[in-house]
Amino acid sequence: MSGRAKLGVLVSGSGSNLQALLDACARADYPAEVALVVSNVPTAFALERARTAGVAARALDHKTFGSRADFEKALGDALEAAGVEWVCLAGFMRLLGADFLRRFPGRVLNIHPSLLPAFPGLHAQRQALERGVKVAGCTVHFVDPGMDTGPIIAQAAVPVLSGDDEAALSARILAAEHRLYPLAVKLAVTGAVRLENGRAVSSVGPSVDAAGLRNPGEPG
Ligand code: GRF
């Protein structure tokens, strides 16, 4: 692949992870650029973020399609027409089927607000609090047809503090997400982490960010 990798970013909501990717792509030495942002929710603030960054953005409301297959076909067509090579799910609240994934083999990434395989699915932060874990975090993984089950590219850990409620823990994890997603995308598009026999194999050592676990004042 020559030049910068072309990303398609799929969103449904606020798009703060999209913003982190847009900010990374604004740096001249970053190996990717955002070619298209698609939201299945027409009112998503993420679309505003894309337009502000001067990036092509469109809404594809899944509710206006007769079937999931029709929606995913239109989505894949839009991404391909924009020259997208890698698809990044960033708060995209739809599961993608095998037909869609086959169009971008091994090139669909997702970010999830837990240390997978713990707490897949909705309300991961609430699940973590209810279970009483002391370390939480986020994961970027290759997408397979399961729910948050694909091979793990990179993870970042944060502490769960006494007195945390769902909002406080979510905010701490989200800050880690904003560091992790650009890093993981870079690892994937440069081939530093690649899929081999259904596992993500790294040629650059462990892709772990535990900076958030250090005590304040402790040297990095
Ligand atoms: C993030 O916590 C992400 O991990 C999850 O949905 C949230 C999206 O937030 N999949 P944003 O839209 O990127 O601000």
Side-chain angles (χ1 to χ4, degrees):
M1 190 183 305
S2 64
R4 306 170 92 198
K6 285 189 162 38
L7 310 180
V9 185
L10 306 189
V11 295
S12 301
S14 149
S16 67
N17 278 292
L18 165 67
Q19 190 67 55
L21 292 174
L22 289 168
D23 293 347
C25 289
R27 295 198 294 269
D29 62 348
Y30 193 72
E33 61 189 333
V34 179
L36 179 66
V37 173
V38 181
S39 175
N40 67 309
V41 177
T43 55
F45 183 62
L47 290 171
E48 286 291 318
R49 294 183 190 267
R51 291 180 187 123
T52 301
V55 164
R58 60 181 290 193
L60 269 185
D61 186 349
H62 62 280
K63 294 191 208 116
T64 63
F65 290 84
S67 68
R68 174 173 142 170
D70 288 349
F71 168 66
E72 293 189 2
K73 167 140 187 358
L75 185 58
D77 290 348
L79 293 166
E80 274 180 13
V84 164
E85 297 159 311
W86 291 81
V87 179
C88 300
L89 313 186
F92 182 66
M93 301 304 283
R94 312 286 305 167
L95 268 183
L96 292 169
D99 284 345
F100 178 90
L101 296 176
R102 264 194 291 274
R103 294 176 74 165
F104 302 92
R107 290 174 174 232
V108 183
L109 314 183
N110 181 44
I111 187 155
H112 181 75
S114 79
L115 292 173
L116 290 170
F119 314 129
L122 290 175
H123 308 301
Q125 304 93 333
R126 191 187 306 167
Q127 294 184 58
L129 284 173
E130 285 171 359
R131 192 65 182 79
V133 297
K134 306 304 176 212
V135 176
C138 51
T139 302
V140 178
H141 63 93
F142 290 105
V143 173
D144 66 13
M147 167 92 82
D148 304 320
T149 49
I152 290 170
I153 298 170
Q155 294 186 305
V158 302
V160 181
L161 303 180
S162 59
D164 268 354
D165 58 12
E166 195 177 341
L169 180 58
S170 298
R172 194 174 307 119
I173 293 173
L174 196 59
E177 292 183 46
H178 298 160
R179 293 194 308 272
L180 190 70
Y181 213 176
L183 167 70
V185 167
K186 181 177 174 177
L187 292 173
V189 304
T190 59
V193 172
R194 63 194 186 286
L195 267 181
E196 249 179 52
N197 303 321
R199 292 178 65 91
V201 178
S202 170
S203 55
V204 291
S207 309
V208 176
D209 173 357
L213 289 178
R214 287 188 199 111
N215 291 322
E218 186 186 330

